[in-house]
């Protein structure tokens, strides 16, 4: 279905380094990055431009904008978000999605990676010592920094002299630069989301053969292994084909660890 086709990848932050090699070798497609394609207009991490719509919507918009720009019928885009972990608010959490849109076959498939492995962080510092400490903590200089003061935003700060100069004026705000090319940890997360996309693309509908036959819905209530009460863990997952609607239910045979039980471990 994808062999020998050209997929346009909407990025200006070198995400092709994480996405293209795996997709090209797995499906025989050719990934093309449009030149002068400004993805910042869809939102920036440094907030000069707010993201339009939610994460998935933003990725979709990028993919269609790339198709509009270069033509073709196959597009890939990715979008990341950083937020406190839903269960452990002290831990920042990185969600990356990689979307594939195939207008020829009317397909949209989304790969995803959710991880607490991120250096996402910020701090206000008033001298180079404090800046240096923060820089060491976030994996500088492989991971670059953004320096924000009253007048300007300096992005992609990646060596100690630059950092020293940037904080010389007194109090500044430091942020991790989350753009993929300046953040190897994020680049890895994008590669993981791409692998998830590949897994979904390989899973085809048993009825019509369309790729992307994956979990569309879950029902919770896996019984506790001690008392049998329903827990919040997944009991049934339903795979559904977005093309023909064929669905397959999988009921878990397992029992939940009592640590998830509202009665045994309230
Ligand atoms: Zn189907
Ligand atoms: Zn129980």
């Amino acid at each position: 279905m994808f062999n020998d086709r050209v997929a346009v990848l909407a990025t200006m932050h070198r995400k092709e380094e994480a996405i293209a090699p795996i997709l090209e070798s797995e499906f025989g497609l050719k990934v093309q990055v449009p030149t002068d394609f400004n993805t910042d207009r869809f939102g920036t991490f440094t907030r000069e431009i707010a993201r339009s719509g939610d994460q998935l919507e933003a990725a979709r918009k990028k993919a269609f904008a790339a198709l509009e720009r270069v033509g073709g019928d196959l597009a890939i885009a990715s979008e990341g978000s950083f937020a406190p972990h839903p269960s452990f608010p002290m831990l920042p959490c990185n969600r990356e999605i990689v979307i594939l849109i195939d207008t020829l076959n009317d397909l949209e498939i989304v790969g995803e990676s959710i991880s607490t492995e991120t250096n996402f962080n910020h701090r206000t510092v008033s001298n180079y010592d404090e800046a240096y400490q923060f820089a060491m903590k976030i994996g500088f200089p492989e991971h670059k920094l953004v320096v924000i003061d009253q007048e300007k935003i300096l992005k992609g700060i990646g060596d100690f002299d630059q950092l020293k100069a940037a904080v010389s004026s007194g109090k500044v705000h430091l942020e991790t630069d989350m753009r993929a090319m300046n953040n190897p940890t994020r680049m890895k997360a994008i590669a993981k989301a791409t692998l998830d996309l590949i897994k979904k693309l390989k899973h085809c509908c048993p009825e019509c053969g369309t790729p992307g036959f994956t979990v569309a819905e879950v029902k919770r209530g896996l019984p506790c292994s001690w008392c049998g009460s329903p827990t919040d863990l997944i009991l049934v997952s339903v795979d559904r084909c977005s093309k023909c609607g064929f669905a397959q239910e999988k009921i878990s045979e397992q029992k939940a660890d009592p640590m998830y039980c509202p009665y045994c471990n309230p």
Side-chain angles (χ1 to χ4, degrees):
M1 184 177 268
F2 304 115
N3 201 32
D4 278 338
R5 290 176 65 191
V6 173
V8 50
L9 172 59
T11 180
M12 59 171 199
H13 298 147
R14 300 212 306 265
K15 289 177 182 171
E16 70 274 16
E17 290 172 13
I19 295 172
I22 343 183
L23 272 175
E24 287 181 338
S25 66
E26 288 282 346
F27 294 106
L29 52 77
K30 188 89 202 75
V31 173
Q32 182 199 342
V33 179
T35 48
D36 304 325
F37 184 69
N38 182 3
T39 51
D40 277 353
R41 65 199 159 99
F42 301 101
T44 60
F45 289 119
T46 31
R47 299 174 295 277
E48 307 97 297
I49 304 167
R51 185 165 66 195
S52 44
D54 69 10
Q55 191 176 1
L56 181 60
E57 192 52 39
R60 201 179 276 140
K61 272 186 193 159
K62 275 189 214 169
F64 278 110
L67 282 179
E68 219 165 82
R69 167 105 185 208
V70 300
D73 46 31
L74 193 58
I76 299 158
S78 107
E79 182 75 20
S81 73
F82 300 88
H85 191 280
S87 318
F88 310 98
M90 292 301 287
L91 284 178
C93 187
N94 173 209
R95 176 178 184 234
E96 293 292 337
I97 60 174
V98 177
I99 191 173
L100 177 135
I101 288 175
D102 179 350
T103 56
L104 190 66
N105 296 296
D106 193 22
L107 274 182
E108 173 185 299
I109 301 170
V110 181
E112 184 182 39
S113 143
I114 294 174
S115 168
T116 53
E117 205 181 303
T118 171
N119 69 339
F120 181 67
N121 208 339
H122 62 89
R123 182 167 302 162
T124 300
V125 301
S126 25
N127 54 51
Y128 181 61
D129 273 354
E130 287 174 19
Y132 183 85
Q133 267 180 25
F134 179 73
M136 289 296 102
K137 195 177 159 196
I138 61 98
F140 189 83
E142 291 76 21
H143 295 77
K144 298 189 180 177
L145 281 169
V146 177
V147 181
I148 303 166
D149 66 18
Q150 307 284 19
E151 282 122 47
K152 59 194 179 303
I153 299 181
L154 293 170
K155 297 185 188 184
I157 300 294
D159 74 54
F160 291 98
D161 288 341
Q162 276 180 314
L163 183 62
K164 200 173 243 171
V167 303
S168 60
S169 57
K171 206 175 225 182
V172 294
H173 189 69
L174 298 182
E175 285 185 8
T176 44
D177 192 335
M178 300 317 291
R179 292 173 299 165
M181 78 289 200
N182 289 340
N183 198 307
T185 303
R186 179 159 181 239
M187 201 64 111
K188 260 194 257 165
I190 295 171
K192 253 172 74 187
T194 309
L195 288 175
D196 183 57
L197 172 69
I198 286 168
K199 204 175 90 193
K200 287 173 177 165
L201 284 169
K202 283 184 170 171
H203 212 194
C204 296
C205 169
E207 278 295 302
C208 74
T210 300
F213 187 66
T214 56
V215 179
E217 184 187 321
V218 295
K219 291 167 195 156
R220 296 180 188 277
L222 191 70
C224 167
S225 64
W226 282 358
C227 74
S229 303
T231 65
D232 214 24
L233 300 189
I234 293 165
L235 174 63
V236 183
S237 59
V238 184
D239 289 348
R240 186 173 291 120
C241 174
S242 60
K243 200 60 160 266
C244 74
F246 177 76
Q248 216 165 38
E249 255 191 16
K250 274 181 297 192
I251 302 171
S252 174
E253 313 262 290
Q254 291 171 341
K255 294 275 190 282
D257 190 305
M259 72 181 274
Y260 298 106
C261 177
Y263 297 100
C264 302
N265 184 25

